[in-house]
Amino acid sequence: MKASACGKIILFGEHSVVYGQPAIAVPVSGLRIYANISKGKGKIYDPPMGEVIDMADRKNPLAMAAWLAMEKAGKAGADFDIRISGDIPPYSGLGSGAAVCVAIMRAVGMWAGREFSPEELAGMSYETEKVFHGNPSGIDNTVVSYEEPVYFVRGKPIEMLRIGKPFTIVIGDTGVKGSTKEMVAHVGKLLKESPDKYNAIMGHMGEIANSAREIIEGDSPAKLGPLMDENQELLRELGVSHKSLERLIAAAKQAGALGAKLAGGGGGGNMIALANDAMPVEAALLNAGAKRVFTTMVGK
Ligand code: PMV
């Protein structure tokens, strides 16, 4: 039996979302993690990470995903093995941590004859996100569990976003590993040192997310471009961008992208560009050293 979960991109509001500002994230259904479950002895094989995990290891987030799902399904005893595969690289800002855990939970649910609701999955995967990130806002596990565009405010009921008119996003992978945990800790330090300055930046990012929501629900998504650029400028000020990201962002813009920014924790990982015409942007990204490009249509 095989279950899966999607990747995600944060269009607006990474980092500020940790501090209660709104953010917008969308699923990337074409990029997925798979969890294959079969009779076994309680092991999780994770070739993308080169790991074999014992489900008894309660500190491991993947093992935790499995036993949280077992508990929820009322199933005693791990009489199964799980094999992970898929095409969301870890440490890349595409939500691989949340996706692997949600895929595992769905697989365990199947094994136990129980289909979890998105709400149940989001609740369980928030617990595993804490192990991955330390201080997660909850946006990743929410968008991955619901596989719907979301307007997300930490601690508030989730709101689904209606996409007024579909738009094209090109995703470019720098190939540089970015640690979300480190980036979130870095931003936390800045806020402690200069609260006025950095709280103002957070507030500004929140305003951008609110403006973006109106545009997304309207019928002129091209207007998102300048907001992406503005959001990226603020992310630069937080020090979470990276030269590899800047190189791809500049290349995308030169090739006609309407706006571009990093997506996720930063420090490497993926960038996103809004494009009228995806092909020249994809070519420019590859030319500028992107390890992989992927185009997704938001709202289709
Ligand atoms: O790097 P990712 O895909 O895990 O995204 C992290 C988003 C942050 O806002 C930086 C952290 C969070 O918990 O929301």
Side-chain angles (χ1 to χ4, degrees):
M1 278 185 267
K2 199 175 192 176
S4 76
C6 64
K8 68 99 225 287
I9 45 178
I10 298 182
L11 294 180
F12 295 95
E14 48 275 273
H15 288 290
S16 45
V17 68
V18 175
Y19 301 96
Q21 297 294 336
I24 294 173
V26 297
V28 183
S29 295
L31 294 177
R32 306 195 76 83
I33 295 276
Y34 298 91
N36 213 316
I37 190 163
S38 55
K39 199 149 186 48
K41 297 201 167 85
K43 301 271 186 219
I44 301 175
Y45 296 87
D46 186 6
M49 294 294 283
E51 283 177 354
V52 179
I53 299 151
D54 195 311
M55 269 176 242
D57 176 2
R58 297 223 151 199
K59 288 204 190 101
N60 182 286
L62 276 58
M64 194 172 160
W67 59 255
L68 280 172
M70 283 169 63
E71 278 172 15
K72 176 90 54 198
K75 178 167 176 32
D79 55 351
F80 53 82
D81 289 338
I82 294 175
R83 281 179 178 74
I84 304 298
S85 59
D87 40 24
I88 312 177
Y91 306 110
S92 69
L94 296 180
S96 70
V100 74
C101 290
V102 170
I104 288 173
M105 289 163 188
R106 285 192 174 130
V108 171
M110 277 179 177
W111 193 252
R114 169 92 148 71
E115 193 180 333
F116 298 121
S117 67
E119 201 179 346
E120 286 175 318
L121 291 168
M124 291 188 282
S125 54
Y126 186 60
E127 296 307 312
T128 54
E129 284 288 282
K130 284 188 200 161
V131 182
F132 279 121
H133 285 187
N135 180 21
S137 64
I139 190 169
D140 277 21
N141 54 298
T142 301
V143 68
V144 167
S145 297
Y146 284 81
E147 204 163 334
E148 298 264 8
V150 297
Y151 172 88
F152 183 89
V153 182
R154 188 171 191 170
K156 296 256 171 76
I158 104 156
E159 291 179 56
M160 300 304 164
L161 261 188
R162 194 184 55 80
I163 310 286
K165 196 171 169 199
F167 54 93
T168 302
I169 294 283
V170 183
I171 305 170
D173 190 349
T174 62
V176 175
K177 281 186 181 170
S179 162
T180 298
K181 198 170 185 170
E182 276 171 28
M183 292 293 122
V184 169
H186 161 76
V187 173
K189 208 163 143 250
L190 293 180
L191 267 160
K192 261 212 184 104
E193 283 164 10
S194 314
D196 290 351
K197 175 175 175 192
Y198 289 102
N199 275 320
I201 293 181
M202 298 299 168
H204 191 169
M205 286 176 162
E207 285 163 19
I208 292 174
N210 281 329
S211 306
R213 177 190 192 159
E214 276 179 35
I215 295 172
I216 288 172
E217 294 187 329
D219 59 3
S220 311
K223 289 188 188 150
L224 291 174
L227 288 180
M228 290 170 76
D229 293 342
E230 203 179 328
N231 197 156
Q232 174 61 19
E233 187 52 50
L234 297 170
L235 288 162
R236 265 180 212 125
E237 282 188 49
L238 292 183
V240 297
S241 194
H242 186 269
K243 59 181 191 306
S244 60
L245 287 162
E246 293 299 332
R247 190 159 54 235
L248 298 191
I249 288 168
K253 299 272 322 222
Q254 264 161 29
L258 305 170
K261 61 182 275 294
L262 67 85
N270 281 269
M271 51 69 71
I272 54 174
L274 177 69
N276 269 334
D277 184 4
M279 285 229 314
V281 176
E282 287 183 353
L285 289 174
L286 289 170
N287 217 5
K291 294 292 169 288
R292 183 172 77 157
V293 294
F294 186 84
T295 295
T296 183
M297 188 88 159
V298 178
K300 260 239 158 98

